[in-house]
Amino acid sequence: MTLAADHVNTGDTAWLLAATALVLLMTPGLALFYGGMVRTKSVLNMLMMSFVSIALVTVVWLAAGYSLAFGDDIGGGLIGGLHQAGMRGLGPDSVHGTVPAVLFATFQLTFAIVTAALISGAVADRTKFSAWLVFVPLWTLLVYVPVTHWVWGPGGWILDKLGALDFAGGLPVEITSGASGLALCLVLGPRLGFKKDAMRPHNLPMVVLGAGLLWFGWFGFNAGSALGANGLAAAAFLNTLAAGCTGLLGWLFVEQRRDGHATTLGAASGAVAGLVAITPSCGTVSLLGALVVGLAAGVVCSYAVSWKFKLNYDDSLDVVGVHLVGGVIGTLLIGLFAEKAMTGGAEGLLYGGGLAPLGKQLLAVVVVAVYAFSVTYGLGKLLDKALGLRASEEQEHTGLDLTVHAETAYDHGVLGHGAPVSSSVLSPSAQKVRPEA
């Protein structure tokens, strides 16, 4: 709703400006997190898939995405209209709640950016960069935008008709990215050497740095979703911290019991799993609920990441095991732990709300997961037929950094092993600094 300009609250606006910057930082943080998890030969490609998503999604969001997601409903709760396409009507005097409407649109843009970038982890090491440039804007319009309207848009069916709860993005962010990642990795098939070759993270300090930046940015993601500098934002902030901690501890507990070692990768992954799960529930559960949500995600996701080896789908960097599974856990547990003091009315099963809230959450999870998977699978098949989604075997074997981007992250690590690399794959500047054989 657009209100008069004198309804802008400067405190709320200042907080949302900071939160928007925090969420945008999550995408470079994700780039480092993913970049450290791949092998040396495809580090830059992994970074590029995240960074280019910032530009691609921004253009699409400003052109039509925001209007379709948050414009007045024109399709029975399924999609908004185009009356704000190109950000029409969002001048400095227009207001959304107590903040400038253009700031709200920018805040939501940062969510769309990181969601698209998340999918890249499922298809690392083998996706054509040119195909990724086409996939991201199409996926944003076909999957992210409609689901966002369902959950948060005016008249969206999940929000208004079903009444399921999602405070900061379990459905449009975590479940859509996880289900879409599963669909896309099935279209592409496994990496060369999957289940045969060691594919360990090449730089664990980079992984931990990326996880730290993600955790930092997540405070803007979750607490910023209160859209104000208020008690709800403070509660969401604390819940986010608590769930990240119990997620980390839960993952390490499983590792220690199962493998005899608590690992650095496990600590980073567990923290992210806890943060994923608390995203939909940070504004609906108490601190006790947040601790349980994070712990459940850390424990369950630590097992879920191994499902790919049993079921033979190559989810390269565990987007399915962490984001899909963690998102499902956090969204469903709202139906158990939601408290009236947080929601303003709705209560979960454990607080006297009965089974109905849990049923609503389950239905929302199933519909969103099936929709995201189906549309992404169809889009992937279409792009694979039209453009080819997968890099060539030679490119995958040599590494996408050299063959696609004509650069290397670590020249000594790539050029110092195996057969010499032809100068034809190096940029002129790279050829000048190439060491003598």
Side-chain angles (χ1 to χ4, degrees):
M1 179 182 295
T2 300
L3 305 174
D6 59 359
H7 285 80
V8 168
N9 181 291
T10 55
D12 293 346
T13 300
W15 163 234
L16 198 61
L17 283 166
T20 301
L22 286 170
V23 182
L24 182 60
L25 181 65
M26 291 177 72
T27 299
L30 181 72
L32 291 173
F33 184 67
Y34 280 170
M37 291 175 70
V38 296
R39 292 166 289 179
T40 56
K41 61 185 181 179
S42 294
V43 180
L44 300 179
N45 178 257
M46 200 72 256
L47 299 178
M48 280 287 284
M49 291 179 81
S50 286
F51 265 81
V52 77
S53 297
I54 298 175
L56 293 170
V57 177
T58 296
V59 172
V60 170
W61 188 257
L62 298 180
Y66 173 75
S67 186
L68 292 170
F70 290 97
D72 292 337
D73 184 79
I74 61 168
L78 299 179
I79 199 69
L82 285 171
H83 64 285
Q84 291 179 320
M87 309 301 283
R88 288 197 302 270
L90 297 185
D93 294 333
S94 60
V95 179
H96 182 99
T98 60
V99 300
V102 68
L103 174 57
F104 173 76
T106 308
F107 179 64
Q108 293 297 335
L109 164 61
T110 59
F111 279 58
I113 290 169
V114 74
T115 305
L118 282 170
I119 301 171
S120 65
V123 295
D125 287 336
R126 61 197 189 279
T127 305
K128 287 175 67 173
F129 187 68
S130 57
W132 179 252
L133 298 179
V134 178
F135 171 81
V136 167
L138 290 176
W139 182 88
T140 300
L141 288 174
L142 295 176
V143 178
Y144 182 81
V145 164
V147 173
T148 299
H149 183 76
W150 301 351
V151 177
W152 293 325
W157 73 270
I158 289 180
L159 174 68
D160 285 359
K161 296 179 175 61
L162 179 61
L165 301 177
D166 186 342
F167 189 75
L171 293 164
V173 176
E174 309 300 351
I175 292 177
T176 59
S177 62
S180 297
L182 175 61
L184 208 58
C185 73
L186 291 176
V187 172
L188 283 169
R191 290 166 290 178
L192 297 177
F194 177 61
K195 297 201 292 189
K196 296 178 183 178
D197 299 340
M199 298 182 181
R200 301 184 184 91
H202 88 281
N203 191 325
L204 286 170
M206 184 186 293
V207 173
V208 175
L209 174 60
L213 289 173
L214 283 170
W215 200 338
F216 180 59
W218 229 298
F219 291 117
F221 202 90
N222 287 356
S225 293
L227 302 181
N230 50 40
L232 183 57
F237 193 107
L238 179 58
N239 284 347
T240 300
L241 175 61
C245 292
T246 53
L248 185 157
L249 295 173
W251 194 299
L252 292 185
F253 175 78
V254 171
E255 279 193 330
Q256 186 65 48
R257 284 182 58 88
R258 182 185 60 199
D259 309 321
H261 304 284
T263 68
T264 306
L265 179 61
S269 300
V272 171
L275 294 167
V276 165
I278 199 60
T279 294
S281 53
C282 61
T284 59
V285 304
S286 66
L287 178 59
L288 175 61
L291 292 169
V292 174
V293 167
L295 182 63
V299 171
V300 175
C301 292
S302 66
Y303 287 105
V305 295
S306 65
W307 294 348
K308 62 185 179 183
F309 299 110
K310 299 176 182 178
L311 300 177
N312 202 38
Y313 63 89
D314 186 9
D315 171 23
S316 305
L317 306 183
D318 301 319
V319 177
V320 178
V322 174
H323 292 275
L324 177 57
V325 174
V328 168
I329 290 170
T331 304
L332 289 181
L333 288 183
I334 292 173
L336 296 180
F337 292 100
E339 290 195 37
K340 185 177 181 179
M342 294 291 290
T343 65
E347 293 182 307
L349 176 63
L350 298 181
Y351 293 89
L355 288 172
L358 184 60
K360 293 176 181 179
Q361 298 302 124
L362 177 60
L363 178 59
V365 164
V366 171
V367 172
V368 169
V370 170
Y371 176 80
F373 178 89
S374 301
V375 175
T376 305
Y377 190 86
L379 177 60
K381 283 290 189 181
L382 180 63
L383 291 179
D384 191 38
K385 185 174 182 180
L387 305 174
L389 267 181
R390 182 156 184 162
S392 69
E393 186 171 326
E394 179 182 356
Q395 289 176 322
E396 189 176 342
H397 178 75
T398 303
L400 301 180
D401 287 358
L402 275 171
T403 58
V404 176
H405 305 291
E407 299 172 304
T408 62
Y410 311 101
D411 282 347
H412 63 280
V414 176
L415 301 181
H417 295 84
V421 179
S422 170
S423 61
S424 63
V425 301
L426 295 172
S427 64
S429 59
Q431 292 181 44
K432 291 178 183 179
V433 299
R434 179 179 174 181
E436 294 295 331

